[in-house]
Amino acid sequence: MTTEPNGHHGRARARTLADELRASGDDQLATLLRLRPDLLNPVPTDLTQLSARLSGRASALRALERLDTFTLQVAEALAAAPGDSTGGTPDTVVRDLLAGPARGAKPHPDAEPVDRAAVLAALPGALAALRERALLWGPDSGLHLVIAVREALAPTATAPGGTGLGPTLAEATLGMSPARLQQLLQGAGLPGTPDPVTAVAALTALLGDRKRCAALLAEAPPAALGVLEKLVWGPPTGTVPDAARPVTAEQARSPIEWLLARGLLLPSGPGTVVLPRELALHLRGGRSHKAVHPGPPPLVPAAERDPQAVDNAAAGQAHTAVRTVEELLDLWGLQPPPALRAGGLGVRDLKRTAAAVDCPEQHTAFWLELAYGAGLIAPDGGDAGELWAPTPAYDLWLQQPTADRWTVLARAWLAATRVAGLVGTPDGKGKARAPLGPELDRVLAPATRRAVLSLLADLPPGAVAGAEGLLPVQRWYRPLRGGAVGPDGRDLRSQLTGFTLAEAELLGVTGRGALGAAGRALLAGQDPAPVLAPLLPEPLDHVILQPDLTAIAPGPLLTPLAQALALCAEIESKGGATVYRFTGESIRRALDAGRTAADLHAFLERHSRTGVPQPLAYLVDDVARRHGVLRVGAASAYLRCDDPALLAEVQADRRAAELRLRMLAPTVLAAQSAPDTVLAVLRSMGYAPAAESADGDLVITRPDSHRTPPRTAPAPVADGPAAPDEVLLAAAVKAIRAGDRAATAQRRETVTGPAAAPLPRTAAADTLAALQTAVLLGERMWIGYINAEGLATQRVIDPVKVEGGFVTAFDHHAEKVARFALHRITGVAELAED
């Protein structure tokens, strides 16, 4: 026997996929790299290395996740197709597996009816999609799945997959003794054979022959047929005590034993049996799937709305969203809450914030996550403990028109991987997830949002669809992208769909359940601001002052006016019109911020459509007259006043007992509490004290002074490698083509036999491809191997499996199954007869 490294037959098999890539055009190669960007890290040196990467299990599984249901069913049918895998599977076989044979076989009564014409129409597109992603190669008369795809989708006893089928008879009888195989032949009424290989072939041929298999089943007891019916659509396994016992036809006493004696059930473990794939296909009438879906289910609108009413409702909610975020961040500018040590916002701070803005806690968490994703809030990085506060980007955002501000929020929401709906749900340790915390990212979120909005966009304007109508369509387009199943039995995609519909309504992307005009522009990648702006209410520059110390804003106010009014008045109610109430406390707050009574009078006269009511003017003058009469400074603290009688009154008041005041001079009281405490207590007593600096000057507090240093918005978590741009694709295709021309120009010399030849040397990619092909074709290979001690040896092996960086093979030198590390194999060569 002589050897030929990568002999002609082996080269043809190992490089078939590479040859197809070589024959493809640059556009086809670019499409492949665009659909599977993980292949570009780093750029393959040539097409042989590219074809080896295409056979990687992780890359293949990632590509399978992007297939729709029908394309996946085509791949599953190919993986389950009977016949010789070396010659490939004709597309006609795949067609019959999906739609059932055109004539002859009787369909199983439990199989769902299939539209054969629809299957025939959709099959070429599905095959083309598999070819585009290099999951399939070969002509239509001999289709081959890439090895990693076949291994992932081929049904087994423990993993029947989408078909519900089990292993082939040859796989199920692997390791069965020759004597037992002859007993099965005898039980099935077949003549004996000289070896196990021909015995398995004879049994397989029997189950694959429609007439002979039907004749054998006609002899079965009704109870035995009932057992088969339970397994026919999967799972294909059942529990049987002592399943591996050798039962002959004469010894069979029960329906299970009758089936075991004829190979119609085969042992898959000490206590389990499995239905062979060939028999399952016969019982199913030739169908690989119980239900075949050549197209997505129809999306039927749940309701119809007036499109103009939808746009108006969405615009109104968009305006509310912008104002709510502004109100929240203004609040946090005044009172920044602390950040948890593990990241996020505490439960008490969330409750306090929600109460302050009059929103449910779950909605408040959404608004906060929205602002965080847009880069408007962030931790300030303080040394004494981080605080959540607005960023400088918030001040720039405030200066933009409302439509542009909404666009910033909506784009951040659409691309974000953070999911506010998970706030409060238990994490892996049973603790509730905190808003703004580190455990809210889900890479499936952006794709789900786009899928939901795209389906709504496909409906007529004003049409409404709920999660129960959207989910079946989403599952058809991406059946393997459902995500983990939660405690409630719903997968992540179902949860995200519900979150998306609720959040889109809150944000104003949808209105009354239907996609609005601005939402359509956002989804299409256009600027939604010009679409939204005409629908928004025009901001007002005036309010209506009333004698009961209230001001009514009949619509949205200009941002500067709204901020100034919120400084000197309390918001009493919100809605179509906002009601502000002036109080002594609110006027004092404006005076503390540096306003004077004259400033407040001028402000009210300038922005009121009516005259300033006398009670309001008196309130401003009265608070201003008393403001600052008392001065509080740091001693611990002291009170200073030019009116000794007023100081005596304060000292005698029992409500001031906690301050422990002591008279130092007729115009000065010393306190044992901090200045902030003294200010708070005196204000609660009805006074209007002012803070004083160490130099005796009035301290003016500005409520909007807290900002973080410049911060960038959190980047969404990447869902796999980023899609390459056209420049990178063109450069990669050019480099791969150049490397392939250089690689194919070289020719290796023929090596003689293992006894006289040096170790075979091949590139790592060639080694992997050749070994994977040897597994598929059952070929014997000669390898060079360097063991753990560094000694170089030559081995003749029969590869069984290539997985996880190891080759499992039968070693003819050691006469046992062994594992070989791929990185220690110097090269491979095919053994050839003299």
Side-chain angles (χ1 to χ4, degrees):
M1 178 180 290
T2 60
T3 60
E4 178 185 355
N6 289 339
H8 177 73
H9 179 68
R11 278 199 307 271
R13 292 301 182 197
R15 298 179 61 190
T16 299
L17 180 55
D19 288 340
E20 286 204 356
L21 293 173
R22 192 171 291 115
S24 64
D26 288 353
D27 289 343
Q28 292 172 292
L29 189 56
T31 299
L32 167 62
L33 298 176
R34 187 182 297 109
L35 292 172
R36 299 181 64 177
D38 55 294
L39 301 173
L40 291 174
N41 189 22
V43 176
T45 57
D46 54 32
L47 290 174
T48 301
Q49 188 179 86
L50 176 60
S51 64
R53 288 190 191 177
L54 290 168
S55 298
R57 182 177 179 84
S59 177
L61 291 178
R62 193 177 296 114
L64 288 173
E65 286 185 348
R66 269 66 180 179
L67 299 180
D68 61 54
T69 293
F70 183 69
T71 305
L72 182 63
Q73 287 184 325
V74 170
E76 290 172 339
L78 276 165
D84 183 10
S85 61
T86 61
T89 304
D91 61 345
T92 54
V93 173
V94 180
R95 176 198 65 199
D96 291 343
L97 284 171
L98 294 170
R103 55 182 178 274
K106 183 179 179 181
H108 193 279
D110 292 341
E112 293 186 13
V114 61
D115 187 342
R116 187 176 182 84
V119 171
L120 295 179
L123 183 58
L127 295 176
L130 292 171
R131 282 198 174 96
E132 279 183 342
R133 293 161 174 79
L135 302 175
L136 179 72
W137 53 272
D140 288 346
S141 59
L143 300 170
H144 291 266
L145 288 173
V146 172
I147 296 173
V149 178
R150 178 175 290 276
E151 290 177 349
L153 297 181
T156 64
T158 56
T163 62
L165 295 167
T168 63
L169 187 139
E171 293 167 346
T173 56
L174 190 64
M176 187 174 286
S177 68
R180 179 57 184 157
L181 288 172
Q182 296 301 318
Q183 288 178 345
L184 294 181
L185 286 174
Q186 183 179 1
L190 299 174
T193 61
D195 55 65
V197 175
T198 54
V200 170
L203 288 170
T204 302
L206 170 64
L207 298 183
D209 187 307
R210 189 181 305 154
K211 292 183 178 179
R212 289 197 296 156
C213 185
L216 178 61
L217 291 174
E219 302 173 2
L225 295 178
V227 171
L228 296 180
E229 279 298 313
K230 294 179 179 179
L231 305 178
V232 64
W233 290 111
T237 57
T239 302
V240 175
D242 195 14
R245 64 188 185 280
V247 180
T248 64
E250 294 77 13
Q251 297 170 339
R253 295 293 181 270
S254 67
I256 298 293
E257 291 180 345
W258 192 95
L259 296 170
L260 287 171
R262 290 158 178 80
L264 302 182
L265 285 181
L266 293 168
S268 59
T272 57
V273 292
V274 65
L275 180 68
R277 189 184 307 169
E278 294 86 353
L279 179 56
L281 288 173
H282 172 82
L283 295 172
R284 294 179 177 192
R287 292 266 297 272
S288 59
H289 295 78
K290 187 175 184 178
V292 179
H293 306 287
L299 178 58
V300 180
E304 298 283 347
R305 314 281 191 211
D306 177 36
Q308 188 59 51
V310 167
D311 292 343
N312 291 339
Q317 190 57 40
H319 179 270
T320 301
V322 171
R323 293 301 183 194
T324 304
V325 172
E326 180 182 337
E327 185 179 353
L328 273 171
L329 271 58
D330 280 344
L331 174 66
W332 277 21
L334 291 168
Q335 303 171 358
L340 297 176
R341 185 179 304 175
L345 183 70
V347 175
R348 291 181 181 177
D349 291 309
L350 176 62
K351 290 180 179 294
R352 189 179 301 114
T353 303
V357 297
D358 194 22
C359 276
E361 291 178 25
Q362 198 64 40
H363 290 182
T364 304
F366 169 68
W367 298 125
L368 293 175
E369 284 290 343
L370 190 62
Y372 179 50
L376 304 181
I377 55 171
D380 65 355
D383 296 333
E386 285 192 324
L387 300 174
W388 287 100
T391 65
Y394 172 61
D395 296 310
L396 300 176
W397 181 76
L398 282 177
Q399 299 173 12
Q400 299 176 356
T402 301
D404 291 332
R405 284 194 273 170
W406 181 84
T407 299
V408 171
L409 298 177
R411 284 176 174 167
W413 171 75
L414 190 60
T417 53
R418 297 183 61 81
V419 181
L422 295 176
V423 170
T425 61
D427 60 11
K429 299 180 180 179
K431 297 182 179 180
R433 295 184 175 92
L436 304 176
E439 299 181 346
L440 300 181
D441 281 292
R442 298 293 184 272
V443 296
L444 191 59
T448 301
R449 291 192 193 105
R450 285 197 169 272
V452 169
L453 297 184
S454 297
L455 292 174
L456 291 177
D458 290 339
L459 295 173
V464 177
E468 63 281 356
L470 295 169
L471 278 170
V473 185
Q474 289 186 76
R475 293 191 183 106
W476 186 90
Y477 280 105
R478 292 292 183 270
L480 299 182
R481 292 278 286 174
V485 177
D488 59 355
R490 298 190 304 160
D491 61 14
L492 178 61
R493 176 168 49 200
S494 300
Q495 298 178 46
L496 291 176
T497 298
F499 294 155
T500 297
L501 291 173
E503 292 170 359
E505 193 73 13
L506 270 179
L507 186 55
V509 175
T510 60
R512 302 181 64 190
L515 189 64
R520 291 178 186 274
L522 174 73
L523 183 63
Q526 303 167 358
D527 184 5
V531 180
L532 178 62
L535 300 170
L536 292 173
E538 191 69 26
L540 304 176
D541 62 352
H542 64 274
V543 294
I544 301 172
L545 298 178
Q546 301 195 109
D548 61 350
L549 300 181
T550 60
I552 298 177
L557 300 177
L558 292 170
T559 297
L561 173 58
Q563 291 178 330
L565 197 58
L567 180 63
C568 61
E570 308 289 353
I571 297 178
E572 192 169 80
S573 66
K574 302 175 184 178
T578 304
V579 178
Y580 295 84
R581 179 168 293 279
F582 296 93
T583 64
E585 178 71 15
S586 65
I587 298 297
R588 182 200 54 76
R589 183 172 64 229
L591 296 174
D592 284 345
R595 309 299 194 271
T596 65
D599 293 337
L600 293 177
H601 283 301
F603 167 74
L604 294 173
E605 290 173 358
R606 185 167 60 251
H607 293 290
S608 175
R609 279 292 176 90
T610 59
V612 179
Q614 194 176 57
L616 179 56
Y618 285 169
L619 176 65
V620 172
D621 291 338
D622 183 55
V623 175
R625 184 172 53 254
R626 294 184 293 114
H627 183 263
V629 175
L630 287 174
R631 300 291 183 91
V632 177
S636 290
Y638 64 82
L639 280 76
R640 183 172 66 83
C641 183
D642 295 334
D643 184 359
L646 180 59
L647 285 183
E649 177 186 334
V650 170
Q651 186 179 18
D653 197 319
R654 285 183 294 180
R655 291 176 294 176
E658 62 179 287
L659 302 179
R660 290 181 291 173
L661 300 173
R662 182 167 57 90
M663 183 74 72
L664 298 181
T667 58
V668 180
L669 285 176
Q672 302 300 313
S673 301
D676 290 345
T677 303
V678 176
L679 284 167
V681 171
L682 291 177
R683 286 167 181 166
S684 68
M685 294 167 60
Y687 298 101
E692 185 174 78
S693 69
D695 298 328
D697 297 327
L698 188 67
V699 175
I700 296 175
T701 57
R702 299 190 180 275
D704 55 350
S705 59
H706 196 88
R707 291 290 184 270
T708 70
R711 294 284 191 263
T712 57
V717 178
D719 184 13
D725 56 27
E726 295 303 320
V727 175
L728 176 58
L729 283 176
V733 170
K734 185 176 180 180
I736 293 171
R737 293 290 191 195
D740 193 60
R741 285 193 295 271
T744 54
Q746 299 176 0
R747 296 290 184 270
R748 294 191 181 94
E749 297 180 358
T750 301
V751 180
T752 57
L759 292 179
R761 302 279 181 180
T762 54
D766 292 342
T767 299
L768 177 62
L771 290 171
Q772 288 175 330
T773 304
V775 172
L776 178 65
L777 303 180
E779 293 181 341
R780 185 168 298 172
M781 303 297 289
W782 169 40
I783 67 170
Y785 193 71
I786 299 178
N787 61 20
E789 289 76 28
L791 299 177
T793 59
Q794 302 179 22
R795 310 287 182 93
V796 176
I797 63 172
D798 292 335
V800 176
K801 182 171 63 175
V802 180
E803 187 178 64
F806 289 89
V807 181
T808 304
F810 181 80
D811 184 352
H812 286 268
H813 176 73
E815 295 187 345
K816 65 177 183 179
V817 176
R819 297 179 78 202
F820 299 91
L822 279 171
H823 68 276
R824 294 184 179 275
I825 298 177
T826 65
V828 296
E830 185 178 308
L831 295 171
E833 296 279 344
D834 280 333

